[in-house]
Amino acid sequence: MQDILFNFMAKYISLTEEEKNVIISLDIFRSLKKGTVLLKEGQKSQDNYFVLKGCIRKYYIIDGEEKTTAFYTELEALTPHCVTSNMPSEYYVNCIEDSILVVADSSMGVEVNSKFPKFDIMCRMLSEELLAKQQIDFDEFKTSSPEQRYLNLLQKRPDLIQRVPQHQLASYLGIKPQSLSRLRARIVGKKS
Amino acid sequence: MQDILFNFMAKYISLTEEEKNVIISLDIFRSLKKGTVLLKEGQKSQDNYFVLKGCIRKYYIIDGEEKTTAFYTELEALTPHCVTSNMPSEYYVNCIEDSILVVADSSMGVEVNSKFPKFDIMCRMLSEELLAKQQIDFDEFKTSSPEQRYLNLLQKRPDLIQRVPQHQLASYLGIKPQSLSRLRARIVGKKS
DNA sequence: CACATTTCTTAACTTAAGTGAACGAATTAT
DNA sequence: ATAATTCGTTCACTTAAGTTAAGAAATGTG
């Protein structure tokens, strides 16, 4: 299980056995059941998440309606906004599958960082990589129609369409569930 | 002129006179006329931009049409994707006003970073700050209608609506210029 | 297993955005 | 200064998304 994490980290930095042991001793691996809510609106938290297995989801509740804006699957990380801003969270995070996560408090980050400056380097690389990806995704979203966004997702993340409920996918695509249903029917019609 | 940059940097790190002189000696200040194209699709570049005065704009050309996805004004920074990916640029960048920019090649960054580790710290802070902001913006975009996005922009960046041409604003909001015109007329009608 | 709840789809209708075209206003170029 | 673009708005029409409602399918629970 830990190996998934270490293999991932190996892409950025090299780790000694000793360093790996320090990480293991932190006891940061968590097995969570589908539906578990990790973060709620209004809550303050310092927890960062890294998905080893499963899927977590970020969503807002606006006018009583859930609006899903992101999914995080294997090898993806989420640092909730409230962690960096030190403000109450604007959104919720839950598990939409049984999942195994690394849950690391910011204080652990500080501790590990002070022992191993490598960590800082890795975090910076990750943050820059994520920012670049995020900007491209946003640009694509802005410049395409709901239908194009759906087809694009079908190309890039076909797994998401399989494992995620339609109504959550819909708001992820910026539309209503009924529109997603219709849009899919339209696409099937076009193919023939 | 340089003071604008130093005051901005002072929010993140403290600078000695010596360090300031090193920065000035790099000769990174550029005065550019409205319309100047800084980066073209297909081009490789290592230049980062920081706006001291004026406004620059990022846009794609898709099916012969310009699609504007971002504006950068006073004290905002743009690191084009091609800089970090080392690939040809997917988009264009130009000045939409007479502007004064800091244009810094990545090699300068490396040089400065090695002399002053502070810089690295500032860059990391900036990148994390930007990522957080970007994620919130994307979430807001996904969860709101074109009209709400326009009203939201009117609140948060009223200056942009004044200084930016309507057809560029339209694609920034994810719609066509005609739709923006109509939407504005609709809002004016509602007020009374 | 049966019941309750949630989720997905379909349909009819409403509202808003996309499209193509026209026209005056504003800006830019000569 | 005048001509030439480019830009912003309006209009009529088309297409697609939002809304409300209903029913079928899937999922979860006692």
Side-chain angles (χ1 to χ4, degrees), chain A residues 147-158:
Chain A
E147 183 169 328
Q148 289 173 312
R149 297 199 283 256
Y150 176 78
L151 291 169
N152 192 31
L153 193 67
L154 209 53
Q155 293 283 327
K156 295 198 178 169
R157 307 262 348 233

Side-chain angles (χ1 to χ4, degrees), chain A residues 12-78:
Chain A
Y12 299 91
I13 53 176
S14 55
L15 287 174
T16 64
E17 283 306 313
E18 197 198 329
E19 287 166 335
K20 289 184 186 178
N21 287 332
V22 171
I23 292 170
I24 292 171
S25 74
L26 289 171
D27 184 34
I28 50 181
F29 299 91
R30 297 274 175 280
S31 241
L32 296 156
K33 284 215 306 203
K34 178 172 176 175
T36 309
V37 177
L38 300 164
L39 177 64
K40 288 187 183 178
E41 184 186 347
Q43 195 178 320
K44 284 194 181 185
S45 161
Q46 289 298 318
D47 288 345
N48 301 283
Y49 309 100
F50 180 78
V51 180
L52 294 172
K53 193 166 181 335
C55 182
I56 62 177
R57 159 189 164 242
K58 161 170 145 187
Y59 61 103
Y60 295 74
I61 296 186
I62 299 174
D63 300 329
E65 262 190 286
E66 283 190 9
K67 304 266 191 176
T68 301
T69 58
F71 299 102
Y72 300 84
T73 60
E74 285 75 16
L75 304 191
E76 293 183 323
L78 165 60

Side-chain angles (χ1 to χ4, degrees), chain B residues 13 19 24 28 55-56 73 78 80 89 102 106 110 117 120 122 124-125 135 149 152-153 165 170 173 187 192:
Chain B
I13 54 175
E19 288 166 334
I24 291 171
I28 49 181
C55 182
I56 63 177
T73 59
L78 167 59
S89 180
V102 173
S106 288
V110 173
D120 222 56
M122 184 186 73
R124 179 169 169 190
M125 289 169 78
Q135 281 176 339
R149 297 201 282 257
N152 191 32
L153 194 67
L173 294 170
I187 290 170
S192 51

Side-chain angles (χ1 to χ4, degrees), chain B residues 40-45 81-82 85-91:
Chain B
K40 288 186 182 176
E41 184 185 348
Q43 196 178 320
K44 283 194 182 187
S45 162
H81 188 241
C82 63
S85 70
N86 254 310
M87 299 280 289
S89 180
E90 309 89 331
Y91 51 78

Side-chain angles (χ1 to χ4, degrees), chain A residues 58 60 69 120 124 139, chain B residues 58 60 69 120 124 139 142:
Chain A
K58 161 170 145 187
Y60 295 74
T69 58
D120 221 57
R124 181 172 169 186
D139 288 350
Chain B
K58 161 171 146 188
Y60 294 75
T69 58
D120 222 56
R124 179 169 169 190
D139 288 351
K142 272 188 184 168

Side-chain angles (χ1 to χ4, degrees), chain B residues 19 32 47 75 91 94 128 148 177:
Chain B
E19 288 166 334
L32 296 156
D47 287 346
L75 304 191
Y91 51 78
N94 78 357
E128 282 176 359
Q148 288 173 313

Side-chain angles (χ1 to χ4, degrees), chain A residues 58 60 62 67-70 72 79 81 84 90-91 113 120-121 123-124 127-128 130-139 141-143 149 171-175, chain B residues 58 60 62 67-70 72 79 81 84 90-91 113 120-121 123-124 127-128 130-139 141-143 149 171-175:
Chain A
K58 161 170 145 187
Y60 295 74
I62 299 174
K67 304 266 191 176
T68 301
T69 58
Y72 300 84
T79 296
H81 188 239
T84 39
E90 309 89 332
Y91 51 77
N113 274 332
D120 221 57
I121 293 168
C123 288
R124 181 172 169 186
S127 149
E128 281 174 0
L130 241 174
L131 177 59
K133 191 175 165 300
Q134 184 79 6
Q135 281 176 338
I136 295 289
D137 286 350
F138 198 177
D139 288 350
F141 194 95
K142 272 187 184 168
T143 58
R149 297 199 283 256
S171 53
Y172 182 69
L173 294 169
I175 56 176
Chain B
K58 161 171 146 188
Y60 294 75
I62 299 172
K67 304 265 192 177
T68 300
T69 58
Y72 300 85
T79 296
H81 188 241
T84 38
E90 309 89 331
Y91 51 78
N113 274 332
D120 222 56
I121 293 168
C123 288
R124 179 169 169 190
S127 149
E128 282 176 359
L130 242 173
L131 176 59
K133 192 176 164 301
Q134 185 79 6
Q135 281 176 339
I136 296 289
D137 286 350
F138 198 176
D139 288 351
F141 195 94
K142 272 188 184 168
T143 57
R149 297 201 282 257
S171 53
Y172 181 70
L173 294 170
I175 56 176

